[in-house]
Amino acid sequence: MTITVNCDETLVRFAAEFAAKLNGSPDTASMFCPSNYDDIVSDMRASGNLAVGRDDDRKICAVCWMFYDPERKNADVNLFADESTADKSLAGEIFAAARKAGGFAPDTHFTFYFPKQNVALADFLEKSGARANTDEYGLLLVRGNERNIGDSDRISSIKPTEFAGFERLHDSIFPELYITGKGITDSIGKNREVFVMTEDGGISAYSVLERTSDPSLAVAEIIGVKEGMRHRGRGRAVLGHLIKTAFSDDRVNRLRLIVDCDNFNALKLYFDLGFEIEFENKCYTMG
């Protein structure tokens, strides 16, 4: 396999076609990869670490690129390799090339997130010594199936004067999440909305609504409740407000949510609100 890391525009587009094709099947998909071809091209261009592998016939057989968050020292990895070839070392070689091209710090963590059907990638990661994290469910709420939402009158859209307090709260609840509180507030008005419950002059709970490139699909990205105030209906309230807001847009007919498979309290709430299991994903970390 010949690997190229300084890819011209033509190779980037061919690599995006290869990735889009494999990403269309849960057997070979990556959950970090955009679903739209043009978005994949943009993602690859922006990464600065795209590695493309081609066989002796110059046919693309492996692609890898990563999104790096220097604040978290984490890289989200998209890795696609043609497992139909006789060469079973494709994944390792292309990952190593993209890792080198990125010039990442020695203490960088590399995160892989993919459907459980992608057993080839799981096998590669197991053999490479990657750490298996808790599996996650993708839940889906279809318009018309929402129920038991309850009262959300105490919830409002976050105000700029509340940004600093929100950022501190988010980072204290989710210190290792892929996005910081500052990252969320920076994206408000672009592809995110934040709804908060305030009590005693501070935020006690919040929800983050993410808009996607598909106008029919929105994501209940994050639900957070301050420590010491949980299990008292605040999570239901901020999520209920998010659901109402998402479906107030006539274009949106589906709302997706990701949750750890072993978070039984959260699952009970989400099922009670009308969400159903759509898929199950694996998550591994290397480094």
Side-chain angles (χ1 to χ4, degrees), residues 134-191:
T134 304
D135 290 354
E136 296 178 334
Y137 285 134
L139 305 184
L140 193 69
L141 179 62
V142 177
R143 177 191 288 273
N145 290 349
E146 63 272 24
R147 58 178 183 265
N148 303 322
I149 291 177
D151 177 24
S152 61
D153 293 341
R154 295 180 295 166
I155 318 302
S156 61
S157 295
I158 191 169
K159 303 178 182 66
T161 55
E162 297 171 318
F163 282 8
F166 165 80
E167 291 165 10
R168 289 193 297 271
L169 176 61
H170 173 79
D171 292 343
S172 69
I173 297 175
F174 303 109
E176 298 183 359
L177 198 64
Y178 59 90
I179 188 168
T180 63
K182 184 66 164 57
I184 293 172
T185 56
D186 284 346
S187 62
I188 290 175
K190 299 174 184 176
N191 65 326

Side-chain angles (χ1 to χ4, degrees), residues 166 169-170 173-174 195-197 203-208 221-227 229-230 234-235 238-239 270:
F166 165 80
L169 176 61
H170 173 79
I173 297 175
F174 303 109
F195 311 109
V196 297
M197 175 185 289
I203 298 172
S204 58
Y206 66 92
S207 58
V208 180
E221 186 178 20
I222 303 166
I223 312 298
V225 181
K226 189 174 183 179
E227 188 174 0
M229 295 185 171
R230 295 165 188 163
R234 292 177 175 87
V238 291
L239 179 54
Y270 302 149

Side-chain angles (χ1 to χ4, degrees), residues 118-137:
N118 193 342
V119 294
L121 182 53
D123 183 60
F124 158 68
L125 292 168
E126 293 280 356
K127 291 178 179 177
S128 300
R131 181 176 71 252
N133 301 315
T134 304
D135 290 354
E136 296 178 334
Y137 285 134

Side-chain angles (χ1 to χ4, degrees), residues 65-83:
W65 77 98
M66 315 176 194
F67 175 77
Y68 181 58
D69 182 345
E71 189 173 357
R72 295 293 198 216
K73 293 184 178 179
N74 178 79
D76 292 336
V77 183
N78 287 299
L79 194 161
F80 298 97
D82 185 355
E83 292 298 322

Side-chain angles (χ1 to χ4, degrees), residues 17 21 58 85 104 112 120 138 179 215 229 249 254 260 276:
E17 288 180 5
K21 179 180 179 181
R58 306 290 290 171
T85 67
F104 302 107
F112 299 77
I179 188 168
M229 295 185 171
D249 182 341
R254 295 171 297 145
D260 288 347
E276 296 181 352

